[in-house]
Amino acid sequence: MHDVTIIGAGPAGVSAALWCDELGLDALVLEQAEIIGGQLNRVHNRIENYLGVKAANGAEFIERFSSDVSDADFDLWTNVAIDSIDLNAKRVSLRSGEQIQSIAIVIATGIRRRTLGIPGEQEFVGRGLIESGARDRDQLKGQDVCVIGGGDAAVENALLLSGVCATVSLIHRGKRLRARREMSEQLQTNHCVTVFTESVVTRILGEREVEAVEVLRKGGLKPFQIAVKGVLIRIGVEPNTELVRGQVDLNEQGYIITNSEHETNVPMVFAIGDVSNPLAPTISSAVGAGATAAKVIATRLNARA
Ligand SMILES: Cc1cc2nc3c(=O)[nH]c(=O)nc-3n(C[C@H](O)[C@H](O)[C@H](O)COP(=O)(O)OP(=O)(O)OC[C@H]3O[C@@H](n4cnc5c(N)ncnc54)[C@H](O)[C@@H]3O)c2cc1C
């Protein structure tokens, strides 16, 4: 029996756990990955927008708070497979058969990148299908590449890659790019980038490595191919809510709805960080939400005592 079970050890979950320790709550953090940090493990750009901390990338940022985690007194289980959660009963069942009971549950499971579900998307991971423009651009120096998507992340990566690649094809299914205006404007003067709107990639092609993408334009009868050596997919994100769907209220995009105390519609069940924050998914808001949820839980438990 714990006071609080926290699901996810990204910035939100870790912040909640540190605050639980500070407030004298007995917390257990369950993380499915082998390491803590969540999305920060995939951040290869500089982090310069968190108060008082600058880091060369997400790994360096994690290093900064790792010592706080090892100094704190809470249980952290990594590599954990959760089978199901009964939010009303506050019971988490693990695939190992173990059951964890607590008074409060904090969901901090974050978001993941959307995938296209097209042929080639799985097969070419690491063989031309890249994870990050910032991290992988050097391996594509002088090559033709394509970026799929039309939001900030897609355009930012297209601009980044245009600095080193021969050509960048930006392929977007919508009529207009959704990226911030200043970024889209930069594209207009960038002769290295060709934008294909109202177009979808239907296949990623190649023998051992990526050689081309197959594209279908809206209203087009036949797909055409663009020869590329690299592909980057940035078509948005979706919240990790599979474990709690049907038990808590979600908004129309699938994010968990909470009140200003970060509590869901189920009493003593809280959701913090990106999984409940489609508007401002940032490290600072995730960390702040962790603090708020822990304080609210501590106040409630103290009132009961
Ligand atoms: C490329 C990139 C660049 C970014 N740059 C910045 C930046 O410069 N500044 C900034 O403020 N933010 C930035 N962000 C956003 C920032 O990383 C996120 O806002 C932050 O990580 C959200 O923290 P979180 O804890 O809510 O979620 P996450 O970081 O997504 O962590 C969620 C954790 O929950 C775990 N989990 C999920 N499902 C389960 C389950 N079923 N069981 C157990 N564990 C589970 C995951 O494995 C993960 O560890 C960037 C993000 C990316 C991808």
Side-chain angles (χ1 to χ4, degrees):
M1 179 74 173
H2 296 266
D3 291 330
V4 191
T5 305
I6 299 165
I7 320 288
V14 170
S15 161
L18 290 171
W19 272 98
C20 282
D21 177 38
E22 166 118 6
L23 297 165
L25 299 174
D26 163 30
L28 167 65
V29 183
L30 301 175
E31 167 58 53
Q32 67 182 9
E34 277 176 24
I35 49 172
I36 64 166
Q39 288 169 68
L40 291 178
N41 290 294
R42 299 202 315 261
V43 177
H44 305 290
N45 50 276
R46 283 190 68 75
I47 298 177
E48 304 195 310
N49 39 31
Y50 187 86
L51 193 65
V53 179
K54 290 204 191 317
N57 50 41
E60 189 176 304
F61 198 96
I62 295 170
E63 213 178 289
R64 301 271 169 88
F65 65 69
S66 287
S67 59
D68 297 347
V69 172
S70 38
D71 291 349
D73 187 17
F74 61 82
D75 290 326
L76 169 65
W77 298 359
T78 53
N79 236 338
V80 167
I82 297 178
D83 185 52
S84 62
I85 307 182
D86 184 334
L87 292 181
N88 281 318
K90 313 289 179 289
R91 192 169 47 244
V92 179
S93 304
L94 305 187
R95 291 225 182 108
S96 60
E98 210 162 338
Q99 293 208 327
I100 295 146
Q101 189 71 52
S102 54
I103 302 169
I105 289 185
V106 177
I107 304 154
T109 45
I111 53 175
R112 60 170 178 265
R113 287 197 182 121
R114 275 186 201 285
T115 52
L116 286 165
I118 57 169
E121 195 175 10
Q122 304 284 330
E123 297 87 313
F124 291 113
V125 171
R127 292 191 287 134
L129 190 68
I130 61 167
E131 147 92 8
S132 155
R135 189 191 67 180
D136 301 327
R137 64 185 152 168
D138 285 346
Q139 77 191 48
L140 291 167
K141 225 177 208 162
Q143 305 286 358
D144 300 315
V145 300
C146 120
V147 176
I148 305 169
D152 284 349
V155 173
E156 190 178 4
N157 275 285
L159 289 168
L160 254 175
L161 289 167
S162 74
V164 295
C165 295
T167 66
V168 180
S169 301
L170 180 65
I171 302 171
H172 175 47
R173 69 176 176 181
K175 211 170 182 171
R176 278 188 203 84
L177 297 176
R178 284 179 287 102
R180 288 201 299 270
R181 200 165 40 157
E182 68 272 19
M183 274 197 223
S184 303
E185 279 169 7
Q186 280 184 50
L187 275 186
Q188 281 161 18
T189 52
N190 188 318
H191 301 299
C192 185
V193 182
T194 307
V195 181
F196 295 83
T197 53
E198 297 193 279
S199 303
V200 292
V201 173
T202 45
R203 282 196 295 164
I204 301 170
L205 306 163
E207 285 289 323
R208 288 190 44 77
E209 311 242 311
V210 170
E211 290 169 19
V213 286
E214 184 184 80
V215 181
L216 185 62
R217 263 200 151 132
K218 190 180 171 192
L221 293 178
K222 277 206 329 213
F224 61 95
Q225 290 186 7
I226 304 174
V228 291
K229 289 281 185 208
V231 176
L232 178 69
I233 303 170
R234 281 291 183 279
I235 52 166
V237 293
E238 55 195 345
N240 295 317
T241 52
E242 286 74 12
L243 285 171
V244 296
R245 262 180 224 159
Q247 297 189 71
V248 283
D249 289 344
L250 306 177
N251 74 7
E252 63 282 0
Q253 301 157 274
Y255 287 80
I256 301 175
I257 298 172
T258 62
N259 61 21
S260 59
E261 297 185 324
H262 297 288
E263 192 169 22
T264 68
N265 60 308
V266 182
M268 294 303 272
V269 174
F270 297 77
I272 56 174
D274 287 9
V275 74
S276 62
N277 184 0
L279 286 181
T282 59
I283 306 164
S284 41
S285 34
V287 165
T292 305
K295 285 209 161 206
V296 172
I297 295 167
T299 308
R300 302 251 184 102
L301 296 196
N302 287 338
R304 282 185 190 183

